[in-house]
Amino acid sequence: MNTAPARPAEIVREYGPFDGATAVHGVTHDGEHVWAAVGTRILAIEPASGTVKRSLDAPSDAGTAFDGRHLYQIAESRIDKIDPTTGHVLASIPAPGQGGDSGLAWAEGSLWVGQYRDRKIHQIDPETGRVIRTIESNRFVTGVTWVDGELWHGTWEGDESELRRIDPHSGAVQERLQMPPGVGVSGLESDGAGLFYCGGGGSGKLRAVKRPKASTTA
Amino acid sequence: MDSLIAASARALAAGDALSALKRISLRDDPPALALRGIAMAQLGELPRSRELLRRAARAFGRHEELARARCVVAEAEVALAMRELGTAPRTLQAAVASLEAHGDQANALHARLIDARRHLLLGRLADTADALQALEGRALPPALRAVAELVSAEIALRWLHTRDAQAALERARAAAERADVPALVGEIAEARAALDQPAARRRGPDGDQPLRLDEVEALFDSGALVLDACRHGLRAGETGLPLARRPVLFALACALAEAWPRDVPRDALIARAFRTRHPDETHRARLRVEIGRLRKLAAPLARIEATASGFALRPLGERPVVVLVPPIEGEQASLQALLADGAAWSTSALALALDTSQRTVQRALTELAAAGRVRAIGRARAQRWLAAPIAGFTTTLLLPSTLPLT
């Protein structure tokens, strides 16, 4: 696997830690709010003010995704489909990593699930949980997002953490944004424009990272 | 961290070790091994816990130095709880360095405190004080602060600084209440109660008077020449003469102190020191030699004057002489009083100090150990005996702060 040269990630803003939350496990964006999974709740945060606008009670241990209508949330070894207006769990499917899952994204009618220590990304059927295909990474996967046809994943091994753009077919690393030492990424989502939102694991923080110009449409 | 690890860690942090285990009991990846180890420690399964934490530390990759260091700290704490103190502290030191390099101050401080407690359990008071010194001025989380103050109280007690000990216990209590760990609050209350127990008796013409530890300290501070039959020595203010390993000299000093200000006839001294009622010339010669030795050793504290019929103790500077004996009679009380100096004693040294057989000492120690009053370190010939700390330290309750949450 070829390795692209790394550039430093440009952190433009930090949010949190949030009241009563010790960690951010997953992040998604619904076009308006950033949602952050903090263990027992999913918080909707207004990006401009940083205030928590809403909070859903839900076990939320890893990645979070949004398909335009529903939230998907990894809890223990399953993926819950949640109505964001009521907080009701509408359906659950088994997570492909059987609890070793970390990172969740929605794209092209599929869910994309990171399998943390196994360094894999699975594309699965959101109705049944059936694995459609599997991409191999060479780093722990701690967050997954699609933006403008690009597949990005967060990685975090020990002290080193990066955002990586990979070839969705071969898994080859095409671009690397290096986080500062000791700053980890757990949960990754693009806002569809110029920013990535990254969960900060046990720091309880949420960070906005500038998406590189070369690959933005703006 | 993946989803089940996060869910399991959340359960563990909420004190639900069983549901934490349920989620990861079949997993053998390093974070799962570490969490299983910590859950097992909370359930009191210490040997199993240590094995799991050791496996986790080995299994973390070279990129995961921080997680590995946290496992080493947790394993060291479990070893401490098991009173297995033989493990190489180098590993712990390396973990401290690694934690500090990674900015994990809380666990680094936790590791340093484990080091201090290990020294304390080994009876190395000076090393314990040094290790505590390294924590001074650092912002400790309340539970760690409580334990640090408890260790500091223990040292102060061993050095007979009861006011310092009381102040440290007061700080420990406040911190334990802030930390809201009931078991720790309970231990500190027990330690405080121990301060009010009689620690010794002052022997007087009208019988013995029980003294608390602070009264013992006040007695030493009063400048009196104290014949301390608890720790077997002579002491005046800051100057002390340990006689625990010189039973004959101690017996002579005892006889002289008890008779003060009168003298003691030669035959009485011989009977006491050499245990014979039929002294001959060789005994008298031996007495002269032993008195000569005692005189030389005691010179900074007292003179020993020859009188017409024997010898008399004459403290320097017109000090009164006071005799201090263990709080209750018997072999066990004497043993505990000797061990109260915090040092590690061999059975033979204790037998020598008490002028009794090793077998008798061994029997008394075994009974005391069964009651948790003393403890042994090492094996066979290297075995040493120490007083139990005033509090047992609720070790496993502190483990959640070493969670490998990366």
Side-chain angles (χ1 to χ4, degrees):
Chain A
M1 242 175 259
N2 71 324
T3 307
R7 284 179 292 162
E10 201 182 322
I11 298 172
V12 295
R13 187 158 176 191
E14 281 193 351
Y15 303 91
F18 304 98
D19 263 358
T22 55
V24 175
H25 299 304
V27 183
T28 194
H29 191 273
D30 65 6
E32 189 181 352
H33 295 116
V34 184
W35 293 81
V38 296
T40 52
R41 289 172 301 149
I42 313 174
L43 311 175
I45 298 148
E46 187 178 68
S49 65
T51 53
V52 176
K53 287 292 173 189
R54 292 188 53 216
S55 168
L56 303 180
D57 284 333
S60 46
D61 303 311
T64 316
F66 183 71
D67 69 357
R69 284 179 59 204
H70 306 105
L71 290 170
Y72 291 85
Q73 176 61 53
I74 301 178
E76 305 204 1
S77 52
R78 62 177 197 274
I79 301 173
D80 291 336
K81 181 179 182 180
I82 300 169
D83 181 337
T85 53
T86 63
H88 291 155
V89 176
L90 306 174
S92 290
I93 53 172
Q98 295 170 320
D101 309 270
S102 180
L104 188 64
W106 170 271
E108 304 169 34
S110 297
L111 282 171
W112 304 73
V113 191
Q115 198 176 337
Y116 178 45
R117 296 186 76 87
D118 297 301
R119 304 177 163 106
K120 288 175 183 167
I121 299 171
H122 302 289
Q123 179 187 2
I124 65 167
D125 180 333
E127 297 300 320
T128 63
R130 181 179 61 87
V131 175
I132 299 165
R133 70 186 171 108
T134 297
I135 303 163
E136 303 272 346
S137 175
N138 60 357
R139 283 302 186 101
F140 291 171
V141 177
T142 60
V144 186
T145 192
W146 278 93
V147 53
D148 299 329
E150 297 173 1
L151 177 60
W152 287 78
H153 83 81
T155 175
W156 185 359
E157 287 198 31
D159 228 15
E160 297 161 17
S161 197
E162 293 178 0
L163 307 184
R164 294 182 154 204
R165 177 163 65 86
I166 62 170
D167 183 316
H169 301 287
S170 67
V173 183
Q174 293 167 326
E175 203 168 353
R176 296 164 60 202
L177 303 180
Q178 211 159 25
M179 298 296 272
V183 175
V185 174
S186 63
L188 175 68
E189 184 68 291
S190 86
D191 66 351
L195 291 176
F196 287 119
Y197 288 101
C198 307
S203 72
K205 288 185 179 175
L206 180 69
R207 297 186 178 89
V209 171
K210 205 165 180 181
R211 199 174 140 210
K213 272 207 168 68
S215 57
T216 55
T217 49
Chain B
M1 182 159 56
D2 66 45
S3 48
L4 271 186
I5 293 292
S8 176
R10 200 171 68 223
L12 199 54
D16 190 351
L18 284 175
S19 60
L21 273 178
K22 195 180 76 186
R23 290 173 167 86
I24 49 166
S25 57
L26 296 176
R27 281 175 53 169
D28 276 341
D29 54 297
L33 288 172
L35 278 176
R36 284 168 60 195
I38 289 168
M40 281 299 182
Q42 291 196 351
L43 295 172
E45 298 283 338
L46 298 183
R48 178 79 181 130
S49 159
R50 193 166 64 155
E51 184 198 324
L52 288 162
L53 289 166
R54 197 172 282 174
R55 276 173 65 196
R58 273 200 305 263
F60 274 117
R62 62 191 165 80
H63 287 296
E64 301 170 282
E65 197 48 48
L66 184 59
R68 183 205 301 269
R70 286 171 179 164
C71 286
V72 168
V73 174
E75 187 195 321
E77 190 171 26
V78 171
L80 194 71
M82 292 169 72
R83 300 295 188 255
E84 290 213 351
L85 308 170
T87 48
R90 270 217 326 254
T91 334
L92 190 60
Q93 296 309 333
V96 170
S98 177
L99 290 164
E100 281 180 347
H102 287 84
D104 184 352
Q105 287 306 326
N107 279 307
L109 292 169
H110 193 145
R112 286 177 181 279
L113 196 49
I114 289 170
D115 190 41
R117 289 155 70 197
R118 190 172 164 275
H119 283 308
L120 181 62
L121 285 173
L122 288 168
R124 300 176 187 151
L125 297 190
D127 291 337
T128 312
D130 286 349
L132 272 190
Q133 192 82 38
L135 293 174
E136 218 151 83
R138 312 272 196 116
L140 287 174
L144 293 190
R145 168 62 60 196
V147 174
E149 296 293 359
L150 208 46
V151 173
S152 139
E154 178 86 28
I155 298 178
L157 274 184
R158 296 283 161 98
W159 285 339
L160 216 57
H161 298 152
T162 50
R163 266 184 305 275
D164 292 350
Q166 256 153 356
L169 283 174
E170 190 48 45
R171 292 192 297 270
R173 187 191 58 79
E177 280 173 4
R178 262 205 314 286
D180 198 19
V181 180
L184 211 46
V185 175
E187 287 215 21
I188 291 160
E190 250 173 64
R192 273 155 41 115
L195 279 182
D196 294 328
Q197 302 289 319
R201 285 173 299 157
R202 178 187 182 144
R203 182 145 286 174
D206 312 321
D208 294 343
Q209 174 201 354
L211 297 182
R212 290 192 315 265
L213 216 46
D214 58 336
E215 292 166 329
V216 173
E217 185 184 10
L219 179 62
F220 283 123
D221 289 348
S222 74
L225 178 64
V226 181
L227 184 283
D228 184 350
C230 297
R231 296 166 194 221
H232 290 218
L234 264 176
R235 194 168 147 187
E238 293 295 300
T239 320
L241 169 62
L243 291 172
R245 284 161 172 87
R246 311 290 296 266
V248 170
L249 299 191
F250 178 70
L252 291 174
C254 261
L256 293 169
E258 281 169 8
W260 180 87
R262 287 172 287 109
D263 65 349
V264 187
R266 285 186 178 78
D267 287 356
L269 287 172
I270 287 167
R272 180 93 173 247
F274 310 138
R275 296 186 176 184
T276 174
R277 286 174 188 208
H278 310 288
D280 56 23
E281 267 317 303
T282 61
H283 291 116
R284 287 181 221 285
R286 261 182 78 196
L287 180 64
R288 270 196 303 280
V289 171
E290 298 291 355
I291 287 284
R293 285 179 179 152
L294 182 62
R295 183 179 277 145
K296 198 169 163 192
L297 286 173
L301 299 166
R303 288 180 293 115
I304 295 168
E305 270 181 15
T307 61
S309 61
F311 295 95
L313 189 63
R314 297 280 172 250
L316 302 184
E318 302 302 311
R319 302 161 185 274
V321 175
V322 176
V323 175
L324 205 61
V325 295
I328 48 170
E329 298 291 347
E331 210 72 63
Q332 295 195 343
S334 309
L335 275 173
Q336 277 191 275
L338 279 173
L339 293 172
D341 68 355
W345 290 72
S346 65
T347 310
S348 55
L350 289 167
L352 185 65
L354 295 176
D355 199 12
T356 183
S357 73
Q358 288 202 38
R359 182 182 285 264
T360 307
V361 168
Q362 188 67 47
R363 195 178 304 129
L365 284 170
T366 307
E367 283 171 25
L368 285 171
R373 311 290 288 274
V374 304
R375 67 212 150 72
I377 50 176
R379 301 246 184 278
R381 290 174 65 88
Q383 189 170 52
R384 295 292 181 271
W385 294 91
L386 286 152
I390 46 170
F393 301 122
T394 47
T395 299
T396 52
L397 288 165
L398 301 169
L399 276 170
S401 66
T402 61
L403 274 182
L405 294 169
T406 48

